Amino acid sequence: MKTIKLILASSLMIISLLLSAQPIIFNDSTIQNSIYTRAGIEPASMIGFGYQRNVNANFLRQTITLYAECNFAAFKFNWDNSELKIGAITPIYQIKSFKIINNFNLSLGSVVTQNFESKKFAFANEIAFGIYKQKWHLALTAEYEKIYLNYLAHSDFYKTTYYEDAVDGWYTGAGGMFQVGIEVGKTFYQKFDVNLELKMPVTEKFNAYLSPGHANLIIGYRF
Amino acid sequence: MKNLLIITSLIFLISCAKHDFDEPGNLLPKTVSEDPYLPRIEINGTVLHAESFGEIGNPIIIFLHGGPGSDYRSFISEKGLENASRYPDERTTKDAGLSQLQDEYYCVFYDQRGGGLSPRFDIGEVTFDIYLEDLNQIIDFYLTKKEEETGIADAQVYIVGWSYGGILATGYINQYPTKVKDVVLYEPGPYSVESREYYKAQKSSVFGEIGNNWLEEYLLSQDHLTPDGHERADYQYMLLPASSPGSQPEFHSDPNAPLWRSGALVRRENLDFSRSENFDITSNLSAFTGRMLFIGSDKVIGEIPEYPGIQMKYYSNSELITISGVGHTGPWEKPTEIASHIRNFFQ
């Protein structure tokens, strides 16, 4: 029984680590907007809320989906443990239903721990390639995220118990992360999207994380 | 235009004032590799952070800290007093913690390689055998020093091991049974398959901790820095001892117990045999003619009541003492009481 629970918990953790997709709306000319919510693990348990909008980029001769989303730690639901993200999704290559999609985003994150508070600035780029039909899509994804700047402030606890000379301030060199995964999405009743994404993360030097996978389940509404 | 200037200036200022995660001394104290003023000992091809207290003519006690990868700071600090600075000159209390035994003993403390203020080592560079050889050379160093300075030719030392230090002490006695007179182990880590399996059966799974504060903090921190460098890995790992009441509730540790650095990479080595199916550091303990004192806290023994008995049976002459009102950080919480037991036992 204990083994089964362990397997179930492991599976849940792996699945939850892979979910980070969002509804794909750039190929729907009947609507312009979508709101969505996500729940998953990446790597902590997260709940997110997002908005995206199609815009016609004449200079690219195609539609770009711009988006903004806010993610919160599910079990520490406050601004101290959150992430704001803005980005753009655009197809960069397509033959009929096969598409290669680029998703670029910038993020600002915050975390408060027993030892330190960190604000991070990061950028990420994801390439997804797969089949994108009007009502469903299936794609493989590859993503790289680089943390390019942090602001660290150490707690009194940290300075008293561990290191009194810990330096607060701006830091570079926090590293980056690769993720590869699979993403599926389906649209119901022309308005409602359900997406699932599973990803395997490694650091940019190919070290493992405590959590072996990221997973997100997204539910969206088009209008 | 004005706004652009302000933004450009801000970016310039930030880029000038930034620090590097991996630069020693920013997030964690420098080790003996970077700080020439730290007290040290050179043995077995490396330099280790070490210091000694007391008169060399007195019996020698070698203190072995926990971890693996932690350090001896809690051994020489004391709850309610100032935590021992990494600079001996900056300590206002010179005999805090178990270093108070220096009035009767020559007390030797060192950070095992890979931990505390001793140098960092990459994965695969530290083994249990190297730890044993480090300890053996440290013992020889101080026995030689004693003979040279006092003319007293001792062949034995006392050992006090705490947590993982108990595994190391047992492994050492198993290999060099005649070099240790008596040993005191404060809640030693499991040094046999039987005691390890018993302990693991009482411990909760990490998957059951999903949603708990300590795990969420640790996971969220991974979004802010990766553990690719030694400094970053150690810094991130320091979240775990800080959250010990959540991550290891069965230890009942006081999270304020200080340490200088916990070596994250050395913790990934199998130095405590936790990933070994078969290991043996007890089969030669029958050759040890000394005594072993097992000191446990009432809180931890309350969680794993059969554990002391399982551990003690490997020593032919052992005693058990329980300290009330503390947990696994007992030597830092009640050092005077524990020092008193050590004095009585070693006499």
Side-chain angles (χ1 to χ4, degrees):
Chain A
M1 189 60 189
K2 194 173 179 183
T3 306
I4 294 170
K5 281 171 71 177
L6 198 64
I7 291 168
L8 283 173
S10 306
S11 304
L12 182 66
M13 201 161 187
I14 290 167
I15 288 168
S16 66
L17 283 172
L18 290 171
L19 286 166
S20 68
Q22 60 203 83
I24 297 296
I25 62 169
F26 66 79
N27 54 354
D28 185 350
S29 58
T30 64
I31 54 94
Q32 271 197 310
N33 306 286
S34 167
I35 54 172
Y36 58 91
T37 181
R38 76 163 74 236
I41 296 176
E42 52 169 58
S45 307
M46 303 292 290
I47 294 175
F49 306 95
Y51 167 76
Q52 52 187 0
R53 180 179 178 85
N54 284 340
V55 295
N56 292 315
N58 291 332
F59 66 97
L60 290 174
R61 294 181 181 174
Q62 62 189 17
T63 301
I64 295 177
T65 305
L66 301 178
Y67 65 91
E69 67 176 54
C70 188
N71 297 302
F72 295 91
F75 296 100
K76 293 166 77 73
F77 196 91
N78 53 47
W79 288 107
D80 285 339
N81 298 287
S82 65
E83 181 185 64
L84 294 168
K85 191 181 283 187
I86 56 170
I89 300 171
T90 184
I92 54 176
Y93 180 77
Q94 49 191 322
I95 302 178
K96 296 181 181 176
S97 297
F98 175 78
K99 292 180 170 60
I100 299 176
I101 311 294
N102 192 73
N103 180 343
F104 177 79
N105 67 67
L106 300 170
S107 62
L108 164 62
S110 171
V111 66
V112 176
T113 72
Q114 175 92 338
N115 291 354
F116 61 84
E117 294 181 24
S118 170
K119 312 293 179 206
K120 72 150 189 187
F121 300 86
F123 63 85
N125 198 69
E126 179 191 84
I127 302 285
F129 55 100
I131 307 299
Y132 289 82
K133 296 285 192 182
Q134 197 66 32
K135 291 189 175 180
W136 62 271
H137 71 271
L138 171 65
L140 299 175
T141 63
E143 179 182 347
Y144 174 67
E145 181 182 50
K146 180 72 176 176
I147 304 162
Y148 62 88
L149 193 63
N150 295 68
Y151 184 81
L152 291 182
H154 294 89
S155 64
D156 290 342
F157 170 81
Y158 188 79
K159 292 188 174 182
T160 303
T161 311
Y162 301 136
Y163 185 34
E164 63 269 40
D165 296 331
V167 179
D168 296 348
W170 294 96
Y171 278 82
T172 56
M177 171 176 68
F178 292 110
Q179 293 192 91
V180 292
I182 186 169
E183 175 184 312
V184 294
K186 180 152 178 63
T187 305
F188 297 91
Y189 306 112
Q190 297 184 325
K191 294 287 186 188
F192 298 94
D193 292 293
V194 176
N195 287 56
L196 178 68
E197 186 177 60
L198 299 175
K199 293 180 180 177
M200 302 292 288
V202 291
T203 71
E204 63 186 9
K205 290 187 178 175
F206 302 104
N207 288 314
Y209 284 90
L210 178 66
S211 51
H214 291 171
N216 280 297
L217 175 65
I218 300 97
I219 296 172
Y221 175 72
R222 304 177 178 209
F223 58 98
Chain B
M1 188 62 188
K2 191 178 173 185
N3 287 343
L4 190 63
L5 264 175
I6 291 171
I7 290 168
T8 307
S9 304
L10 268 175
I11 291 172
F12 179 75
L13 279 173
I14 288 169
S15 63
C16 286
K18 67 195 177 190
H19 308 282
D20 189 334
F21 267 99
D22 295 332
E23 186 183 330
N26 282 341
L27 303 172
L28 292 157
K30 292 177 179 176
T31 68
V32 289
S33 301
E34 299 111 15
D35 186 343
Y37 298 106
L38 288 170
R40 65 194 60 212
I41 181 173
E42 287 188 46
I43 48 97
N44 202 20
T46 191
V47 178
L48 300 179
H49 176 232
E51 60 189 314
S52 51
F53 305 90
E55 297 295 326
I56 187 72
N58 286 330
I60 297 172
I61 303 178
I62 308 289
F63 289 84
L64 303 177
H65 64 72
S70 188
D71 58 46
Y72 67 79
R73 191 180 187 186
S74 281
F75 261 141
I76 62 168
S77 299
E78 187 168 339
K79 188 173 186 176
L81 292 178
E82 182 185 58
N83 292 332
S85 167
R86 68 192 186 287
Y87 301 113
D89 294 346
E90 293 181 11
R91 292 173 197 156
T92 56
T93 307
K94 303 291 186 186
D95 59 352
L98 292 185
S99 77
Q100 65 186 270
L101 288 162
Q102 64 189 275
D103 59 352
E104 285 185 79
Y105 299 90
Y106 187 71
C107 301
V108 176
F109 298 88
Y110 75 99
D111 289 342
Q112 294 147 25
R113 66 171 71 199
L117 304 184
S118 284
R120 295 177 166 95
F121 289 84
D122 289 332
I123 293 284
E125 292 184 336
V126 180
T127 65
F128 190 72
D129 286 342
I130 290 175
Y131 266 14
L132 291 184
E133 186 54 28
D134 286 350
L135 175 55
N136 192 45
Q137 291 197 22
I138 285 171
I139 289 172
D140 287 346
F141 175 88
Y142 284 103
L143 288 175
T144 303
K145 177 183 167 75
K146 181 172 187 172
E147 186 169 7
E148 286 175 355
E149 294 183 12
T150 67
I152 301 169
D154 261 356
Q156 290 184 311
V157 298
Y158 293 108
I159 288 182
V160 173
W162 179 359
S163 193
Y164 174 74
I167 298 177
L168 183 54
T170 301
Y172 183 78
I173 293 167
N174 192 60
Q175 192 158 325
Y176 301 96
T178 61
K179 293 184 78 169
V180 179
K181 190 166 189 293
D182 294 315
V183 60
V184 172
L185 304 180
Y186 186 87
E187 294 181 349
Y191 41 70
S192 71
V193 174
E194 182 188 7
S195 52
R196 188 192 67 192
E197 292 305 312
Y198 172 76
Y199 169 71
K200 278 170 65 178
Q202 319 301 315
K203 199 174 184 307
S204 56
S205 162
V206 70
F207 294 109
E209 298 296 316
I210 292 172
N212 281 355
N213 200 48
W214 73 271
L215 184 57
E216 293 300 311
E217 280 190 8
Y218 190 72
L219 292 171
L220 284 167
S221 77
Q222 296 197 328
D223 259 347
H224 285 245
L225 69 152
T226 61
D228 276 345
H230 271 290
E231 293 277 339
R232 277 177 277 157
D234 293 346
Y235 182 64
Q236 195 168 61
Y237 186 81
M238 294 293 278
L239 284 169
L240 295 185
S243 60
S244 55
S247 59
Q248 293 180 309
E250 67 276 17
F251 281 179
H252 299 277
S253 295
D254 188 323
N256 297 302
L259 58 93
W260 289 301
R261 177 180 73 91
S262 190
L265 269 62
V266 81
R267 290 192 70 91
R268 292 188 204 162
E269 307 282 12
N270 195 24
L271 299 172
D272 60 357
F273 308 107
S274 59
R275 295 185 295 282
S276 301
E277 288 306 314
N278 294 299
F279 66 95
D280 171 25
I281 56 171
T282 57
S283 59
N284 193 40
L285 281 181
S286 56
F288 176 54
T289 56
R291 299 167 302 144
M292 184 270 256
L293 174 64
F294 186 116
I295 304 181
S297 64
D298 61 345
K299 292 180 181 175
V300 173
I301 291 178
E303 300 267 1
I304 46 176
E306 295 168 37
Y307 187 76
I310 296 172
Q311 294 276 73
M312 289 166 65
K313 73 181 183 187
Y314 292 97
Y315 286 89
S316 56
N317 190 348
S318 58
E319 297 173 28
L320 172 66
I321 284 177
T322 304
I323 309 294
S324 62
V326 297
H328 197 54
T329 43
W332 172 74
E333 294 178 80
K334 287 190 172 180
T336 302
E337 182 178 341
I338 290 172
S340 170
H341 289 302
I342 292 173
R343 286 180 207 276
N344 294 336
F345 186 72
F346 284 164
Q347 287 168 359

